[in-house]
């Protein structure tokens, strides 16, 4: 009897050494669980076992042998999720097993183990607890290390995206007597998917635009950077707004895999002909104020990047515009919510635009932001907010 007890202790010691060596060799998680399983099968008198651990928020069976049914992937019943740190008896749902015990590390439940054994359960419990603890602490440490590496990779990716995005926006906007352009940009995350631009085409023409990509964060910012580069390259090749939109749509369709889309508004103004040509690609209602009248610029096409070719495409030309004010924005502005879950909406914005326009367009943006902050109260913004205003005095 004493000799048998020594044999069991030798087996347990060998098992611990084998598992420790596997941990020290930094083997993958699945390999550690395989070694755990085969150690119990080959060296110890464990007839049946089911090991449940938490994975992606769910408690599931990761190691199983000896049972009538395969339990791998099955969920742990709720009644076993609050076990104290001691062995307990199984209930009818797990009557194949003799006992169940939890495995804790620093007051955190790492695993729930069900066993049937020919050996004394108290002895097996202590050893299995130690063996399981070694394996699962190693797996937990791997998870934490992997999480740290992922966070570091994301941080570096974010830094790159922020640097890329800084190049998206024009460094300077015109503020002269005949043309004043003002912009405001507030990303919801460190980087966002909104974009605005001003591009001087020649001595008489310029393009102003605003865009909003579906999604948020780094992927949205990178897609938008590709969009901006394509736009600037196209403007150097052609002044035909329809051709520009067709090519932008194709570029977005390919780079976004038809899963992401971009709403876009662009206008080209000619100081010589006093004509504004524009297109609205599924974007918000753009406001044109001319001779104290309001016109909403909605003509154009659907969003870019979802269909190739676009199902319909139309540019609109507005002649005889010598003095006017153009206000563009993204939907993060009008879709800001207050504490009663009410949206700011377009009508509130329109009432502000209908008022007297300040000499300095940044004052108008400040006025809109003040109204927006008063409206939302303690609620936070849930999307990027961008505004681009343009005033022409071309008498």
């Amino acid at each position: 009897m004493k000799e048998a007890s020594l044999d069991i202790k030798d087996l347990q010691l060998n098992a611990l050494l084998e598992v420790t060596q596997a941990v020290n060799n930094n083997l993958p998680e699945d390999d550690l669980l395989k070694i755990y399983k085969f150690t119990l099968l080959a060296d110890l008198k464990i007839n049946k076992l089911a090991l449940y651990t938490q994975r992606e928020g769910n408690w599931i069976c990761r190691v199983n042998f000896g049972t009538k049914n395969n339990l791998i992937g099955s969920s742990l019943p709720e009644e076993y999720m609050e076990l104290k740190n001691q062995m307990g008896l199984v209930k009818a749902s797990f009557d194949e097993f003799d006992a169940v015990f939890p495995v804790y590390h620093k007051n955190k439940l790492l695993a729930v183990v069900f066993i049937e054994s020919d050996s004394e359960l108290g002895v097996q419990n202590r050893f299995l607890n130690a063996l399981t603890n070694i394996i699962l602490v190693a797996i937990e440490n791997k998870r934490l290390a992997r999480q740290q590496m992922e966070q570091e990779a994301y941080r570096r990716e974010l830094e790159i995206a922020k640097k890329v995005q800084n190049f998206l926006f024009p460094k300077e906007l015109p503020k002269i007597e005949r043309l004043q352009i003002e912009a405001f940009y507030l990303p919801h995350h460190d980087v966002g998917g909104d974009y605005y631009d001003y591009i001087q085409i020649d001595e008489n023409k310029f393009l102003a635009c605003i865009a909003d990509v579906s999604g948020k964060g780094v992927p949205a910012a990178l897609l938008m950077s590709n969009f901006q580069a394509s736009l600037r390259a196209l403007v150097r090749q052609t002044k035909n707004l329809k051709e520009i939109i067709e090519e932008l749509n194709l570029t977005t369709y390919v780079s976004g895999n038809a899963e992401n889309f971009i709403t876009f508004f662009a206008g080209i103004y000619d100081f010589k002909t006093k004509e504004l040509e524009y297109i609205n690609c599924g974007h918000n209602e753009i406001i044109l104020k001319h001779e104290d009248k309001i016109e909403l610029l909605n003509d154009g096409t659907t969003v870019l990047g979802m269909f190739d070719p676009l199902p319909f495409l139309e540019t609109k030309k507005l002649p005889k515009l010598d003095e006017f004010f153009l206000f563009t924005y993204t939907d993060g502005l009008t879709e800001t919510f207050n504490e009663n879950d009410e949206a700011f909406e377009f009508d509130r914005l329109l009432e502000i635009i209908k008022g007297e326009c300040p000499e300095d367009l940044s004052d108008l943006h400040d006025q809109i932001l003040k109204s927006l902050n008063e409206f939302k109260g303690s609620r936070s913004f849930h999307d990027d907010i961008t505004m681009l205003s343009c005033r022409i005095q071309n008498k």
Side-chain angles (χ1 to χ4, degrees):
M1 189 72 180
K2 187 175 180 181
E3 185 177 347
S5 178
L6 288 173
D7 288 343
I8 292 174
K9 287 184 178 180
D10 287 342
L11 288 172
Q12 290 178 348
L13 180 61
N14 289 333
L16 286 174
L17 289 173
E18 184 178 355
V19 167
T20 303
Q21 185 177 11
V23 170
N24 292 336
N25 289 336
N26 200 28
L27 293 180
E29 178 178 335
D30 288 342
D31 288 350
L32 289 177
L33 290 176
K34 287 178 182 177
I35 289 172
Y36 173 79
K37 175 181 178 179
F38 289 119
T39 298
L40 298 181
L41 274 172
D43 299 336
L44 304 171
K45 296 181 179 180
I46 304 294
N47 300 323
K48 297 177 183 180
L49 180 134
L51 170 74
Y52 286 81
T53 66
Q54 197 170 23
R55 193 172 197 180
E56 297 179 356
N58 299 312
W59 283 89
I60 61 171
C61 184
R62 303 286 305 284
V63 178
N64 173 228
F65 60 81
T67 55
K68 295 176 183 177
N69 299 315
N70 184 7
L71 299 177
I72 294 295
S74 65
S75 298
L76 177 67
E78 290 186 9
E79 61 262 32
Y80 295 108
M81 293 182 186
E82 296 182 0
L83 291 172
K84 302 300 181 182
N85 196 6
Q86 59 187 9
M87 179 174 286
L89 297 176
V90 294
K91 301 182 181 181
S93 57
F94 279 80
D95 59 4
E96 286 191 70
F97 300 101
D98 295 327
V100 57
F101 65 91
V103 178
Y104 281 86
H105 178 68
K106 295 181 179 179
N107 297 320
K108 180 180 180 181
L109 182 63
L110 295 183
V112 176
V113 184
F114 296 87
I115 61 169
E116 180 193 275
S117 172
D118 292 336
S119 301
E120 184 183 345
L121 286 177
V123 175
Q124 289 287 37
N125 176 36
R126 289 191 295 273
F127 173 72
L128 261 176
N129 201 313
L131 187 69
T132 308
N133 199 286
I134 291 171
I135 288 287
L136 294 181
V137 168
I139 289 174
E140 178 73 1
N141 289 337
K142 284 177 177 291
R143 185 189 66 81
L144 292 174
R146 185 168 60 248
Q147 188 178 61
Q148 289 176 345
M149 290 177 63
E150 289 172 353
Q151 290 174 346
E152 178 62 20
Y154 179 76
R155 186 188 66 78
R156 292 179 180 177
E157 185 182 52
L158 193 62
E159 286 181 358
I160 294 171
K162 287 173 71 174
K163 289 178 181 178
V164 169
Q165 193 168 53
N166 285 336
F167 292 105
L168 286 181
F169 305 113
K171 298 303 178 185
E172 293 183 357
L173 295 171
K175 291 179 175 61
I176 56 178
E177 184 176 352
R178 72 173 187 170
L179 172 61
Q180 182 184 160
I181 295 182
E182 186 70 36
F184 171 84
Y185 173 58
L186 177 67
H188 177 235
H189 298 285
D190 290 331
V191 293
D194 284 4
Y195 160 62
Y196 66 85
D197 213 341
Y198 161 82
I199 304 172
Q200 187 71 42
I201 297 175
D202 57 35
E203 60 181 10
N204 292 314
K205 293 182 180 180
F206 73 88
L207 179 144
C209 67
I210 193 166
D212 185 1
V213 65
S214 62
K216 303 211 173 30
V218 174
L222 295 179
L223 179 60
M224 193 58 81
S225 67
N226 185 51
F227 183 84
Q228 184 253 22
S230 300
L231 173 62
R232 286 185 164 260
L234 287 165
V235 170
R236 287 195 297 267
Q237 297 170 17
T238 177
K239 299 178 180 64
N240 188 306
L241 189 54
K242 186 176 180 180
E243 290 179 1
I244 291 172
I245 295 301
E246 287 174 335
E247 288 301 317
L248 283 175
N249 178 66
L250 177 59
T251 298
T252 308
Y253 182 84
V254 172
S255 60
N257 297 316
E259 296 176 355
N260 298 92
F261 61 87
I262 295 177
T263 67
F264 182 60
F265 173 88
I268 295 178
Y269 182 73
D270 190 329
F271 280 98
K272 187 174 182 180
T273 63
K274 298 183 179 181
E275 180 180 77
L276 174 68
E277 182 182 14
Y278 80 87
I279 188 165
N280 189 325
C281 306
H283 201 73
N284 315 303
E285 292 182 303
I286 302 302
I287 304 171
L288 177 71
K289 191 175 181 180
H290 175 55
E291 295 179 346
D292 293 327
K293 295 178 181 178
I294 295 291
E295 184 174 351
L296 303 181
L297 309 187
N298 294 320
D299 294 314
T301 184
T302 186
V303 297
L304 305 182
M306 292 296 290
F307 308 98
D308 181 47
L310 288 165
F312 56 90
L313 179 58
E314 174 188 5
T315 66
K316 184 75 174 287
K317 293 182 179 180
L318 304 176
K320 299 178 181 179
L321 288 178
D322 49 13
E323 289 190 2
F324 66 92
F325 170 70
L326 184 71
F327 182 80
T328 73
Y329 61 99
T330 56
D331 59 12
L333 195 160
T334 52
E335 294 179 5
T336 294
F337 288 86
N338 65 12
E339 294 161 343
N340 297 320
D341 284 329
E342 299 169 330
F344 189 74
E345 294 184 343
F346 177 74
D347 290 343
R348 287 186 176 87
L349 173 63
L350 187 59
E351 286 302 311
I352 299 174
I353 302 300
K354 283 181 178 178
E356 186 175 350
C357 186
E359 184 66 27
D360 189 337
L361 294 181
S362 63
D363 292 338
L364 173 65
H365 290 180
D366 290 342
Q367 183 182 344
I368 293 171
L369 286 171
K370 180 181 178 182
S371 178
L372 194 63
N373 279 302
E374 289 175 351
F375 172 81
K376 76 178 183 64
S378 61
R379 290 285 293 268
S380 59
F381 295 114
H382 74 283
D383 199 357
D384 307 331
I385 294 177
T386 305
M387 296 181 281
L388 181 74
S389 298
C390 175
R391 179 162 55 205
I392 300 289
Q393 293 178 312
N394 186 27
K395 285 290 188 181

